[in-house]
């Protein structure tokens, strides 16, 4: 169902395709996978201008591999962490999700052990979660020295972003 919709939508897209130029603005944006988040529109980015990493919550820790690729392979010096209000990651706990996965795999000690080692980086306060990620990046010795890290909260009620942090690594 979805796959067929993708194929049809892509046929339309490709019919009007113009190859975008890479015009990198030197920023990697880390944000949530929530379907209400549209980083291009909400941050004024055009295709070709920024690396964008999306995961559950917009966790910097989950995005570390990609951040390091952007920094060391593509010389990206600005990391922007964008979390948002009403995030799904505020609606359950890591412990609850671990238990759901264990229940789906009864008798599998290997699964239980693996999942106990995963932190899903849930949070209750969105601004505090951005600050936690800024602290994580500043204290991480792998992040390129001199990098700028900015923290943002996007409000899903009114479409506005607020800057809540700005640090140099
Ligand atoms: Zn979210």
């Amino acid at each position: 169902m979805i796959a067929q919709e993708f194929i049809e939508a892509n046929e339309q897209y490709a019919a009007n395709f113009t190859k975008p130029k890479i015009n990198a603005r030197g920023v990697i944006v880390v944000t949530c996978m929530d379907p209400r988040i549209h980083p291009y529109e909400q941050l004024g980015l055009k295709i070709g201008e920024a690396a964008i990493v999306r995961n559950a919550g917009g966790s910097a820790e989950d995005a570390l591999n990609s951040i390091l690729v952007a920094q060391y392979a593509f010389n990206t010096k600005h990391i922007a962490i964008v979390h948002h209000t009403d995030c799904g990651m505020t609606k359950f706990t890591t412990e609850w999700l671990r238990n759901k996965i264990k229940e789906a795999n009864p008798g599998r000690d290997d699964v239980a052990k693996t999942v106990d080692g995963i932190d899903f980086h849930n949070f209750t306060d969105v601004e505090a979660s951005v600050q936690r990620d800024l602290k994580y990046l500043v204290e991480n010795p792998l992040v390129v020295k001199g990098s700028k890290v900015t923290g943002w909260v996007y409000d899903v009620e009114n479409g506005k972003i607020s800057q809540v942090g700005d640090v140099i690594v």
Side-chain angles (χ1 to χ4, degrees):
M1 193 67 173
I2 284 275
Q4 189 54 37
E5 288 164 14
F6 283 177
I7 290 165
E8 288 167 12
N10 181 256
E11 278 168 5
Q12 300 236 332
Y13 176 77
N16 300 305
F17 183 70
T18 45
K19 190 178 169 188
K21 287 196 183 77
I22 293 181
N23 181 24
R25 286 166 63 176
V27 62
I28 178 169
V29 177
V30 180
T31 194
C32 188
M33 66 185 187
D34 187 293
R36 295 168 293 182
I37 307 302
H38 193 319
Y40 292 98
E41 284 188 357
Q42 291 155 5
L43 303 175
L45 294 165
K46 293 190 183 69
I47 192 162
E49 289 187 338
I52 297 176
V53 183
R54 302 187 65 164
N55 61 37
S59 162
E61 197 170 338
D62 282 4
L64 185 64
N65 282 18
S66 300
I67 289 170
L68 297 178
V69 170
Q71 290 222 288
Y72 288 90
F74 300 102
N75 199 30
T76 302
K77 293 279 172 37
H78 183 169
I79 306 164
I81 304 298
V82 186
H83 295 182
H84 68 96
T85 61
D86 194 43
C87 186
M89 297 303 275
T90 63
K91 301 182 193 300
F92 63 93
T93 63
T94 281
E95 204 49 45
W96 178 86
L97 187 51
R98 283 176 179 159
N99 285 331
K100 291 288 279 188
I101 296 170
K102 288 175 194 172
E103 283 164 26
N105 294 277
R108 290 287 303 267
D109 290 347
D110 56 333
V111 169
K113 195 172 171 222
T114 301
V115 83
D116 280 339
I118 301 175
D119 184 343
F120 291 96
H121 308 296
N122 300 80
F123 56 87
T124 50
D125 179 309
V126 63
E127 190 173 332
S129 80
V130 173
Q131 300 296 352
R132 178 179 68 180
D133 276 2
L134 262 50
K135 186 169 185 288
Y136 168 76
L137 291 171
V138 166
E139 291 176 355
N140 191 317
L142 301 176
V143 174
V144 171
K145 297 286 166 288
S147 298
K148 184 181 180 68
V149 187
T150 52
W152 307 83
V153 172
Y154 172 76
D155 188 335
V156 298
E157 297 300 325
N158 59 23
K160 293 183 177 173
I161 54 163
S162 334
Q163 187 168 0
V164 297
D166 183 356
V167 289
I168 303 292
V169 175

